[in-house]
Amino acid sequence: MKVINDVRDMRRWTERQRLAGRRLALVPTMGYLHEGHLSLIRLARQRADVVVVSIFVNPTQFAPNEDLDRYPRDFERDEALCRQEGVDAVFYPSAQTMYPPHYKTYVITEDLSRVLCGKSRPSHFRGVTTIVAKLFNIVRPHLAVFGQKDAQQLIIIKKMTADLNFDIDIIGAPIVREADGLAMSSRNAYLNKEERQQATVLYKSLQLARREAEQGNRSAKDIKKKMTALIESAPLARIDYVELVDTQTLTAKERIEGETLAAVAVFFGKTRLIDNTVLNL
Ligand code: AMP
C-alpha cells in the first residue's frame, strides 16, 4: 500500500493506474477510521480495481468555534486498517498542501448547503464541496463512495458532481451502527458515559418517525413533535434540528408521502451528533 502526501505524486500514481486500464475508486475521509469507513472501503473494493482512501481533516469545513483542533486523529492506526482492507493507496496530504498560502477558490452548491446542517454550520458545505472537488481533480477516480450517514453531504456531492460535469459515479453506502443503534462516528469518541448512553435517542427518534409513518401518520408536524419530545426526554440532549424533508430538494414536507428524509442533529455537551433515515411510503 502506498502512502502519498504530495499532489503531484498522487496524480502520477493514479495516472499510471488509469493507463493500465484499471477502474479507480476514491473514499474520502477525515480519518480516525471506524466500521462505517471500512464499509465504504469494502464497497469501493467491490466496484473498482484500485481503491484510494484520502485522510484529511479539512480545515475549511470547520467554523472557528468548532472542533478542528481536537478532532481525533490516529494516522498509524488508520494506515494499518487501510492495509488490512487491501487499500491500494492512502492520500494523506498536509493542510499546507491542500490550502497553500493565498488560497482563494471555493465551490458552493447553493440552497442545498443552507438548510439542515447548513443552518447551524453556514460555511461547512462550502468547505466540503471545495475539498471534494479538489480531491476529484487530484485523484480523478471513476467512482467515489460516500456514507448515507451524512445524507445532506451525499445529496450535495451528487449535485456538485452533476453541475460541474465531473465524470464520476457517486455511490451512497448505508449507515453502519453500534449494537444499540447509535450511528458510528469519529465524534462518538468525545462522549462521556452518560452522553454515550443517552445518544441512542437520535436513532430512537428516527425509529419512532418510521413507526408513525408506517402506521399511517401523514402529519410532519405531529411526527416532528413526537420525535422532539422523545429526544428531549434525554436530559443531556440539546436539539439543533429535527426535520422531515424532501430527499431531492431538502425542503420541509408537510405531508409524509413519497420519499422523506428524516434527519436529526443533537448536541451532547459540545459534541454535535447527526443521524437520518429515509422513509419510503
Ligand atoms: P468522515 O471521516 O466523518 O468525514 O466520514 C467519511 C465518510 O464516511 C463520509 O462519506 C461519511 O458519510 C462516511 N461515514 C461516516 N460514518 C459512517 C457510518 N456510521 N456509516 C456509513 N458511512 C459513514
Side-chain angles (χ1 to χ4, degrees), residues 38-233:
L38 301 188
S39 75
L40 268 53
I41 293 172
R42 287 168 200 151
L43 189 57
R45 260 270 71 94
Q46 285 172 19
R47 305 275 180 107
D49 306 308
V50 172
V51 177
V52 179
V53 172
S54 62
I55 297 182
F56 182 62
V57 183
N58 175 33
T60 61
Q61 70 191 66
F62 290 79
N65 61 334
E66 290 180 350
D67 56 345
L68 173 63
D69 292 334
R70 65 181 193 123
Y71 195 84
R73 293 164 169 91
D74 188 344
F75 182 71
E76 275 178 27
R77 185 173 159 276
D78 290 347
E79 189 185 355
L81 285 169
C82 286
R83 210 178 284 279
Q84 268 173 36
E85 293 298 327
V87 169
D88 297 282
V90 171
F91 183 46
Y92 182 53
S94 68
Q96 280 282 316
T97 298
M98 296 309 271
Y99 300 105
H102 313 300
Y103 185 88
K104 293 286 178 213
T105 306
Y106 294 88
V107 177
I108 297 172
T109 300
E110 309 231 310
D111 302 342
L112 295 174
S113 61
R114 292 197 201 103
V115 296
L116 302 177
C117 292
K119 268 194 193 157
S120 57
R121 306 185 75 192
S123 58
H124 172 68
F125 289 110
R126 165 191 187 258
V128 170
T129 39
T130 299
I131 195 65
V132 171
K134 285 166 70 68
L135 290 169
F136 282 0
N137 280 324
I138 294 165
V139 177
R140 295 183 52 214
H142 298 90
L143 62 99
V145 186
F146 294 85
Q148 178 68 33
K149 159 83 193 325
D150 299 273
Q152 184 176 13
Q153 168 173 286
L154 177 58
I155 289 164
I156 289 174
I157 297 291
K158 281 184 176 162
K159 189 80 185 92
M160 175 194 80
T161 302
D163 286 353
L164 295 185
N165 309 98
F166 282 110
D167 190 12
I168 298 171
D169 288 337
I170 305 301
I171 296 172
I175 302 177
V176 177
R177 300 179 177 284
E178 301 286 355
D180 64 2
L182 178 66
M184 289 197 183
S185 164
S186 307
R187 288 192 168 97
N188 292 349
Y190 298 144
L191 301 172
N192 67 29
K193 194 157 162 260
E194 283 79 38
E195 291 168 341
R196 171 64 189 81
Q197 275 164 3
Q198 294 182 24
T200 54
V201 286
L202 279 87
Y203 183 53
K204 285 183 189 151
S205 74
L206 299 172
Q207 286 178 304
L208 173 65
R210 180 173 301 285
R211 261 195 325 272
E212 287 290 325
E214 281 172 1
Q215 285 166 8
N217 190 346
R218 294 287 166 270
S219 163
K221 195 171 162 200
D222 184 64
I223 296 177
K224 278 197 321 198
K225 204 168 125 198
K226 289 177 170 146
M227 293 169 75
T228 302
L230 192 149
I231 296 171
E232 284 174 346
S233 74

